Amino acid sequence: MDKLDGFVPVLDEKELKEGEMKLISVEGIPVLFIKQFGKIFVIDNRCPHMGCGFSGGTLDGLVIVCPCHDWRFNLETGEYEDESSFKLVIYEWKVESG
């Protein structure tokens, strides 16, 4: 795919439904797209704790829960609820023409 201003087109916005997580490989990196409360969040699929895949986890409001050890991360700040020094890798994204 061609890059647009440093961004790589990966999916049509309509493909991501409310409350859904969608795992997509972007240039070989497993990236998780999440739509929650009308907002889109794009994070590395690997938990910073032990590398477990978030795509097997659950959403609890604006929190993603890791399926391996139930670590809870805020999607807006990226912070682990019990220790803010552990953070998600959050990717920049944009919607352009859907």
Side-chain angles (χ1 to χ4, degrees):
M1 288 184 198
D2 293 330
K3 289 186 179 183
L4 304 170
D5 299 321
F7 289 88
V8 178
V10 292
L11 78 151
D12 191 301
E13 185 181 14
K14 294 179 282 187
E15 294 177 52
L16 191 60
K17 307 293 184 219
E18 179 67 30
E20 180 179 271
M21 298 186 285
K22 190 171 192 86
L23 181 60
I24 297 175
S25 179
V26 180
E27 296 188 335
I29 299 169
V31 177
L32 192 61
F33 287 73
I34 302 164
K35 188 169 188 178
Q36 191 74 321
F37 302 119
K39 296 180 181 179
I40 296 174
F41 303 92
V42 183
I43 64 172
D44 189 308
N45 187 50
R46 295 168 295 210
C47 178
H49 173 226
M50 293 191 72
C52 291
F54 280 119
S55 59
T58 57
L59 295 172
D60 181 11
L62 290 174
V63 169
I64 187 160
V65 183
C66 178
C68 294
H69 301 104
D70 294 325
W71 281 36
R72 299 168 55 88
F73 292 85
N74 182 296
L75 290 170
E76 292 182 312
T77 66
E79 294 178 354
Y80 169 50
E81 284 186 341
D82 294 335
E83 175 55 58
S84 63
S85 65
F86 283 98
K87 291 192 174 187
L88 299 172
V89 174
I90 298 174
Y91 295 104
E92 287 186 56
W93 60 273
K94 68 178 181 176
V95 175
E96 189 171 291
S97 303

